[in-house]
Structures are given as C-alpha cells and as structure tokens.
C-alpha cells in the first residue's frame, strides 16, 4: 500500500544528499560545532534573502519568541495580544516571562488574527502584538502595523510557518514575512518550510539597538567574555544545522513552488465538494502552504482520518484545542464560547499531507481517498 506521510523529509534529503553530507563531514572534521563559520555564512545569506539588516540565529523558534520579548524590556503584568488559534509556543513564552497573554479571535477564512479584535482588546497595559502568519500566509500586517503605530505598541511576528512568503502593503512595498514588524521570529524545526535536521531558530530585525541586545541575550547576557551585564539565556544554532540550512535556503523558493503546486492540485480536486472549504488566501500575501488545511462541513472528521489512515495517508488536526481551553492556560478571564471562530475551526479543520516531494499520482491518491469518503459534491 502507498504510504503518504504529512512531510517527506527523506525524499527531500535524497535530492541534496551529496551537498549536505559534504557540509556535515567538513564540520565533523574541523570540529567548529558551535559558532563556526557555517553559522555566520547562513546568517548573512538569510539576511540577504529576507532583505533584513540583522538575523540572529538561536536554538529554536520558541527561544526566538522569548528572546524577542526579553529585548523589549516588558514588565510582569504587561499585556501582549496574540491569537487564540496557534501553536502553544506563542503564548507559552508570554506566560513564562510573567506577561499577560491577551487572546483574540481569528478571521474565519484565513485563520489569521483579526485586526478588529486586536483593536478591541487594547488596554493601557498593552505593550505588544504578536501576529502569527498561520499555515504559510501573512496576517493583515497593514492593519496591524497601523494599530501598533496609533497605540505605540511593539509588533513581534511569529513567522515559524511562513518563511519566504511575501507581503505587499497598500502602497505597493513588498516585504518578506517576518520583516514587517519590529522583530520577526522563526523556527527551523525539521518539518517547517525551512527545516534543519534538529532544532533551530532565528530572530530578524532592522533595528540596530534591538539586534545588539538580542545577540547579547542569546549568549548569556554576555558582551565581553565572562562579564554579564544582563540576564540572558543559552540559545544557539549549531554549525551542523546552519550548514544544512544554508544549503536548503538556496532551494526555499522552489520548495514553496512545489507546495503551491500540491495545494492547487488539492484545490481543483475539491472545488465542487460542498462539504470541504479549501484554503482562502488574502490578496496582500503569497502563500507558502506550511499546512494545507480544509474546513469540513457535516463530515465525521475522526472517521475521515481513519479512512485516510486505512489507505496509508496521514492527516492531522492543527489545532484541536484553542489556547484559552488548554488546561495549563485556564484563566478566569476566558470561557468556552469567547472565541467562536477559533472554537469552530478547532472542531472542523483537517490538514492533509503537503511537502516538496509530491507527484500527481500521489496527489490523486490522496484526493480520491478524501472524495471517496466525503462524496464528490
Ligand atoms: C513551530 C512553531 C513555533 C515553535 O518553534 P520551535 O522551533 O518548535 O520551538 C512557534 N510558533 C509557531 C506558530 C510554530 O508553528
């Protein structure tokens, strides 16, 4: 039986194996495992690709978010507005720093944070907004930057899922996702669009002072060796991961193209099916399809997933529980029913396999299996 995993990292590796193996072998030989030349080289190439002044590599995407918030000198009790429909890391670091996460609902079509809801959630304690570019397309950054400007708030973009996506402002300026707000954060977790072979992350900014501060924070608050002027963390991208990422960065746009091809194939196959709503892209952003997520209507989602699994096809639910209903985040401020769009999505979405290695035959195998269960119309 065919096996269709959510991502095909093995297939992707086969195509770049000689380069990757040679790069890793070189580091094994020169033993520059930490802060080696490969890290600097990747940093500079990513700065060029993103057209941003500073990239600060770090240990993972969660650290990237934490370091960004540490650099803004937020005080316990300060409020940070983010989306209720995201991976936990976004809210986790807010809570860890004893800041107050303020959740807001998302747009029902794009699944991204709703700017009107942000505006309504602002109080005198609000200090920052953390939009997440969910599933591979940008949140409405014109609206978010406008709100931030009017209320003097920082914007930290959680760009773990949309690296390489382009955002076009109303004035025609095109910027890479993660380079629009004050700080952008990304993850190089293996299954992300730019993934390494372990953990990795990075922070982006055009602000020289913030960049300097964040470089110090990721290195134990140390500027001069063994002199610690601020409390920092230990968060590094190791040289082997940087070498892998530097090779994969050269393929990032072609990887996005392959993901879009698969998404278009799915969209066409499901177009006539009233029980499935295909992804809706905002006009101001490109979509790099970190996930391909359908909204189901009157479909037994669990049974659909079992049907797919019986044919060797993986599927997943991102995310089954909204942040405000997670046990660790139970908060008297929030109740079931507070974020109706997020709550409805968490009960109806399903994500299908999407990656860089699909061929038409495998895509047809997936779409046939889905339509066999839900019906063609
Ligand atoms: C993956 C992810 C993160 C965290 O990245 P890690 O590298 O796993 O720490 C944060 N936010 C979002 C939206 C993510 O998808």
């Amino acid at each position: 039986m065919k096996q269709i995993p959510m991502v095909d990292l093995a297939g992707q590796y086969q195509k770049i194996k000689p380069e990757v193996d040679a790069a890793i072998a070189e580091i094994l030989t020169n033993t520059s495992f930490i802060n080696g030349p490969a890290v600097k080289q990747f940093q500079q190439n990513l700065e060029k690709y993103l057209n941003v002044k500073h990239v600060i590599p770090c240990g993972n995407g969660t650290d990237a978010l934490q370091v960004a918030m540490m650099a803004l000198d937020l005080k316990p009790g300060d409020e940070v507005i983010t989306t209720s429909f995201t991976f936990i890391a976004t809210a986790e670091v807010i809570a860890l720093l004893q800041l107050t996460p303020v959740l807001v609902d998302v747009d029902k079509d794009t699944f991204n944070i709703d700017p009107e809801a942000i505006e309504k959630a602002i109080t005198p304690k609000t200090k920052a907004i953390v939009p997440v570019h969910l599933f591979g397309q940008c949140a409405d950054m014109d609206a978010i930057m406008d709100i931030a400007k009017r209320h003097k708030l920082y914007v930290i973009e959680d760009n773990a899922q949309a690296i390489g996506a382009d955002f076009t402002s109303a004035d025609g300026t095109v910027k890479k996702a993660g380079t629009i707000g004050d700080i952008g954060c990304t993850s190089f977790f293996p299954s992300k669009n730019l993934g390494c072979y372990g953990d990795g992350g990075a922070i982006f900014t055009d602000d020289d002072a913030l960049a300097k501060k964040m470089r110090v924070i990721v290195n134990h608050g140390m500027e001069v060796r063994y002199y610690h002027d601020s409390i920092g963390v230990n968060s590094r991208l190791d040289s082997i991961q940087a070498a892998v990422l530097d090779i994969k960065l050269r393929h990032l746009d072609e990887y996005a193209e392959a993901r879009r091809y698969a998404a278009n194939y799915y969209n066409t196959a499901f177009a006539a099916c009233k029980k499935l709503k295909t992804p809706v892209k905002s006009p101001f952003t490109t979509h790099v399809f970190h996930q391909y997520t359908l909204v189901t209507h009157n479909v037994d989602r669990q049974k659909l997933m079992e049907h797919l699994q019986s044919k060797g096809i993986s599927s997943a639910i991102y995310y089954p529980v909204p942040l405000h209903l997670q046990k660790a985040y139970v908060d008297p401020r929030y109740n079931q029913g507070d974020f109706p769009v997020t709550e409805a999505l968490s009960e109806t979405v399903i994500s299908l396999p999407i990656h860089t290695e699909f061929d038409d035959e495998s895509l047809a195998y997936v779409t046939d299996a889905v339509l066999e269960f839900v019906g063609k119309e």
Side-chain angles (χ1 to χ4, degrees), residues 86-243:
T86 179
F87 179 57
I88 199 68
T90 321
E92 187 175 54
V93 298
I94 300 173
L96 272 175
L97 294 173
Q98 296 185 317
L99 308 170
T100 304
V102 172
L103 303 177
V104 300
D105 214 343
V106 296
D107 178 81
K108 68 176 182 12
D109 291 325
T110 65
F111 317 141
N112 272 326
I113 193 164
D114 175 359
E116 272 178 44
I118 295 177
E119 186 111 41
K120 284 190 192 129
I122 292 172
T123 76
K125 287 188 177 170
T126 308
K127 292 289 153 55
I129 307 168
V130 184
V132 179
H133 303 312
L134 200 73
F135 300 156
Q137 70 170 323
C138 292
D140 186 349
M141 291 305 291
D142 272 350
I144 293 167
M145 295 308 290
D146 175 61
I147 293 168
K149 212 176 193 175
R150 282 189 281 110
H151 296 271
K152 297 196 166 51
L153 307 174
Y154 292 111
V155 175
I156 301 174
E157 299 170 70
D158 181 341
N159 192 34
Q161 300 190 3
I163 194 160
D166 287 318
F167 175 79
T168 305
S169 287
D171 68 5
T173 326
V174 181
K175 287 187 173 178
K176 286 285 178 199
T179 68
I180 304 150
D182 299 283
I183 304 177
C185 298
T186 204
S187 164
F188 303 126
F189 187 80
S191 61
K192 304 283 175 167
N193 288 38
L194 180 59
C196 57
Y197 296 156
D199 272 310
I203 313 164
F204 329 135
T205 188
D206 279 321
D207 184 312
D208 296 338
L210 279 177
K212 188 169 174 216
K213 219 161 160 181
M214 293 192 287
R215 281 190 211 289
V216 171
I217 293 173
V218 297
N219 189 28
H220 296 292
M222 176 169 82
E223 207 175 334
V224 179
R225 206 170 172 80
Y226 303 127
Y227 289 80
H228 305 271
D229 297 341
S230 60
I231 295 180
V233 296
N234 170 21
S235 189
R236 294 185 280 241
L237 181 69
D238 72 64
S239 305
I240 287 179
Q241 303 309 337

Side-chain angles (χ1 to χ4, degrees), residues 158-338:
D158 181 341
N159 192 34
Q161 300 190 3
I163 194 160
D166 287 318
F167 175 79
T168 305
S169 287
D171 68 5
T173 326
V174 181
K175 287 187 173 178
K176 286 285 178 199
T179 68
I180 304 150
D182 299 283
I183 304 177
C185 298
T186 204
S187 164
F188 303 126
F189 187 80
S191 61
K192 304 283 175 167
N193 288 38
L194 180 59
C196 57
Y197 296 156
D199 272 310
I203 313 164
F204 329 135
T205 188
D206 279 321
D207 184 312
D208 296 338
L210 279 177
K212 188 169 174 216
K213 219 161 160 181
M214 293 192 287
R215 281 190 211 289
V216 171
I217 293 173
V218 297
N219 189 28
H220 296 292
M222 176 169 82
E223 207 175 334
V224 179
R225 206 170 172 80
Y226 303 127
Y227 289 80
H228 305 271
D229 297 341
S230 60
I231 295 180
V233 296
N234 170 21
S235 189
R236 294 185 280 241
L237 181 69
D238 72 64
S239 305
I240 287 179
Q241 303 309 337
V244 170
L245 288 165
D246 201 43
I247 293 163
K248 289 178 73 170
L249 177 59
R250 288 176 226 146
H251 298 279
L252 185 58
D253 288 341
E254 123 211 357
Y255 288 164
E257 209 42 65
R259 285 171 176 276
R260 273 194 287 268
Y261 180 85
N264 279 332
Y265 192 102
Y266 283 152
N267 284 345
T268 307
F270 300 141
C273 177
K274 293 193 179 60
K275 289 187 169 179
L276 301 175
K277 182 179 168 191
T278 55
V280 179
K281 187 185 82 62
S282 300
F284 46 70
T285 174
T286 60
H287 203 318
V288 294
F289 288 99
H290 174 60
Q291 298 298 343
Y292 181 87
T293 304
L294 294 162
V295 182
T296 61
H297 299 290
N298 299 319
V299 173
D300 184 334
R301 190 173 58 168
Q302 191 54 41
K303 287 260 163 56
L304 169 59
M305 292 180 81
E306 283 163 21
H307 171 78
L308 295 176
Q309 200 54 62
S310 76
K311 297 184 170 278
I313 301 167
S314 301
S315 60
I317 294 170
Y318 304 115
Y319 296 93
V321 183
L323 291 191
H324 68 293
L325 302 177
Q326 296 285 357
K327 271 193 194 150
Y329 292 80
V330 164
D331 184 315
R333 291 175 302 153
Y334 300 123
N335 294 301
Q336 181 121 28
D338 283 354

